[in-house]
Amino acid sequence: MSEHTGSRQRRIVVGVDGSPASVDALRWAVHQARMQGAVVEALTVWQHPVATGWTVPVTAYEQLPGIARKILDDSVREAVVEGGPVEVLTRVQEGGAAQCLLDAARGAELLVVGSRGHGGFAGALLGSVSQHCVQHATCPVVVIRHPEA
């Protein structure tokens, strides 16, 4: 695992939020990258919460990038076999998840996201981030469902 450097090789971008579906998406992306000879760019996005009527201590906001980094590192450790032939670049970015993923996927072979379905009929629907990515990405998008979703 290494920090993103903006290389020009074939890329598969995957959104990672620590959910089981996103870890499955990362596993799938690594497998696909192995077959395509591509690099995986794993992206975790964080954003300051927006709320009215209550406040959160500023120190909690200062911890968000570190929490996002831990989520990403833990997910990569869980999903990627060390020493494998696939390079996994990691990046933590501030912003809205859908737009950051779309920006990162420009010029990529694929964008891979997890679906955080709700089970039953609602589980058949895409989440707001995956739906936005499917509708607006400039590359093919693969949505991975976790088996227990």
Side-chain angles (χ1 to χ4, degrees):
M1 157 174 67
S2 61
E3 189 67 25
H4 175 66
T5 59
S7 65
R8 294 281 184 208
Q9 55 192 152
R10 296 177 71 167
R11 297 178 306 122
I12 296 175
V13 175
V14 58
V16 179
D17 64 6
S19 67
S22 77
V23 174
D24 290 346
L26 182 55
R27 277 192 198 98
W28 190 94
V30 168
H31 176 72
Q32 188 68 25
R34 187 174 293 117
M35 293 189 308
Q36 290 186 357
V39 64
V40 172
E41 180 182 330
L43 176 63
T44 296
V45 178
W46 66 274
Q47 191 171 32
H48 288 287
V50 177
T52 57
W54 60 278
T55 61
V56 174
V58 173
T59 55
Y61 291 142
E62 293 170 355
Q63 295 173 1
L64 290 175
I67 292 167
R69 171 52 67 186
K70 180 171 178 9
I71 287 169
L72 180 56
D73 291 346
D74 290 350
S75 297
V76 169
R77 261 191 301 281
E78 182 179 345
V80 179
V81 177
E82 288 294 327
V86 175
E87 182 178 10
V88 178
L89 306 173
T90 62
R91 182 163 47 120
V92 173
Q93 182 175 341
E94 180 182 6
Q99 191 58 55
C100 288
L101 287 167
L102 292 172
D103 291 345
R106 282 195 193 102
E109 301 292 315
L110 287 171
L111 172 58
V112 184
V113 293
S115 174
R116 298 179 77 176
H118 302 285
F121 177 75
L125 304 175
L126 293 176
S128 59
V129 171
S130 56
Q131 180 71 43
H132 193 82
C133 289
V134 166
Q135 291 176 333
H136 300 285
T138 58
C139 65
V141 179
V142 176
V143 180
I144 303 294
R145 286 184 55 94
H146 185 68
E148 296 174 11

